[in-house]
Amino acid sequence: MQGAQQLMKVFVTRRIPQEGVKILKQAGMCNLSVWDSDEPVPRAELLNGVSGAHGLVCLLSDRIDAEVLDAAGPNLKVISTMSVGFDHLSIDEIKKRGIRVGYTPDVLTDATAELTVALLLATARRLPEGVNEVKSGGWSTWKPLWLCGYGLSGSTVGVIGLGRIGLAIAKRLMPFGVKKLLYTGRAAKPEAKEVEGEFVPLDALVAQSDFVVVSCSLTPDTQGQCDKAFFSKMKKTAVFINTSRGAVVNQEDLYDALSSGTIAAAGLDVTTPEPLPTDHPLLTLNNCVILPHIGSATYATRGIMAELTANNLLAGLTGAAMPTELKI
């Protein structure tokens, strides 16, 4: 058995699923220090906890920048984030120090795609409004146009960003009788053939689609991309769905578009900030459905994410090939 002095210090910024903790404990090489809470680690505790660490397990809510890396010191070999996104990591600073990064793509693709379809249907068919009407006594006699929404059958769906998740969303939507699938991105994708996807410029996608689904990465190009000009090109009957990153959308412009009838409805699983303040104007609108960033929230998916995070970390500590390493 290795002595405690030989164990490598690993700081974990949150209580993570047991599947991941078990792997780290069984490896016998880690001295685990965990911020044992479901709430994010306070900044001061993060800076203190990471001091002298060889490995760091973090989440999207943890800003890992030069200050954190300096606090960690020269021992830090690997950062393993339990997320597919990595905009919380200062990649340039990490690269400068030669630290390896693991992340968790692929494993949350199916769960996020399912949630996106659920959110699209709930928004388009006004399910939250319907639930509220039942609870509040607003459900009276049958009325021909009461709570009418928009269906997928015969529709045109536009997917912004046909990556792993975008393609998985498209595959799930097509059996609903979607007539045409448009997509946009940096380049045409051969795999778009699987959904008979047509690669078009962004403006064409926005103008022609009955449902616009945002599934792109957050980059300088996509930040604030969905703004007043974007919404003004959409059909008045169109439904907007975002399960990518909140910062892709200008929320003030979205509020204006929804409250003025420029577009029909919106469903969001991501916002800026997160959590969204309870007095935010978007929350006053019946035609806006907002979820608390639960795209990957199935028990199975979160367990697999934790396992992959742990295995990435162990590989980084031993200098082995990571299951999913972020190339930086």
Side-chain angles (χ1 to χ4, degrees):
M1 181 69 186
Q2 288 178 303
Q5 71 277 8
Q6 293 171 289
L7 296 179
M8 288 188 266
K9 179 180 174 182
V10 172
F11 183 60
V12 184
T13 66
R14 191 84 64 90
R15 196 180 288 152
I16 64 169
Q18 280 305 305
E19 291 93 330
V21 177
K22 192 174 166 187
I23 288 169
L24 292 175
K25 284 182 175 172
Q26 285 178 345
M29 67 170 81
C30 303
N31 175 17
L32 281 184
S33 172
V34 181
W35 175 253
D36 193 19
S37 169
D38 286 329
E39 298 303 317
V41 60
R43 186 74 175 176
E45 297 289 346
L46 171 60
L47 295 172
N48 182 49
V50 81
S51 176
H54 297 85
L56 171 64
V57 172
C58 65
L59 278 70
L60 265 179
S61 49
D62 307 313
R63 195 174 79 252
I64 309 302
D65 54 14
E67 186 184 26
V68 174
L69 301 174
D70 288 342
N75 283 345
L76 192 62
K77 294 180 175 187
V78 57
I79 296 167
S80 186
T81 181
M82 192 174 132
S83 64
V84 65
F86 46 86
D87 39 282
H88 57 304
L89 307 177
S90 296
I91 296 298
D92 290 346
E93 291 291 338
I94 292 166
K95 190 175 180 180
K96 206 186 290 179
R97 291 164 167 82
I99 298 165
R100 294 171 70 192
V101 177
Y103 69 135
T104 60
D106 300 330
V107 294
L108 46 69
T109 298
D110 287 343
T112 305
E114 285 173 8
L115 189 279
T116 304
V117 173
L119 178 58
L120 185 151
L121 291 169
T123 304
R125 294 298 303 272
R126 302 170 67 178
L127 301 194
E129 281 182 81
V131 169
N132 285 336
E133 290 294 306
V134 173
K135 288 181 175 177
S136 67
W139 181 16
S140 56
T141 184
W142 185 86
K143 302 170 192 138
L145 293 176
W146 188 58
L147 284 178
C148 282
Y150 299 92
L152 279 161
S153 185
S155 71
T156 296
V157 172
V159 178
I160 298 174
L162 200 74
R164 285 182 297 266
I165 294 173
L167 184 63
I169 293 166
K171 283 179 178 174
R172 284 161 173 76
L173 289 176
M174 296 312 284
F176 282 92
V178 171
K179 189 177 176 185
K180 193 191 283 188
L181 191 286
L182 307 177
Y183 74 99
T184 189
R186 284 190 292 272
K189 298 278 182 88
E191 52 270 32
K193 287 179 190 156
E194 297 174 44
V195 288
E196 295 177 22
E198 184 186 336
F199 184 61
V200 295
L202 181 63
D203 281 358
L205 180 146
V206 174
Q208 294 173 38
S209 298
D210 299 298
F211 298 90
V212 174
V213 180
V214 183
S215 184
C216 58
S217 304
L218 178 62
T219 67
D221 288 339
T222 61
Q223 181 142 4
Q225 175 177 261
C226 304
D227 58 8
K228 184 177 182 179
F230 177 101
F231 296 122
S232 68
K233 289 171 191 149
M234 286 175 64
K235 296 179 180 180
K236 281 192 181 313
T237 53
V239 174
F240 175 81
I241 303 293
N242 181 22
T243 54
S244 62
R245 284 286 174 268
V248 172
V249 178
N250 180 314
Q251 290 176 172
E252 288 71 28
D253 290 353
L254 175 60
Y255 174 82
D256 291 343
L258 288 167
S259 56
S260 66
T262 303
I263 65 172
L268 312 173
D269 185 41
V270 286
T271 59
T272 309
E274 292 182 358
L276 197 66
T278 54
D279 61 353
H280 195 281
L282 282 172
L283 296 175
T284 65
L285 301 173
N286 280 336
N287 59 344
C288 189
V289 178
I290 300 180
L291 300 178
H293 201 153
I294 53 171
S296 65
T298 66
Y299 291 111
T301 297
R302 292 285 168 84
I304 294 165
M305 284 173 75
E307 286 177 9
L308 183 53
T309 302
N311 286 324
N312 278 335
L313 184 96
L314 294 175
L317 291 175
T318 57
M322 282 187 193
T324 48
E325 182 165 6
L326 183 63
K327 301 301 177 192
I328 58 175

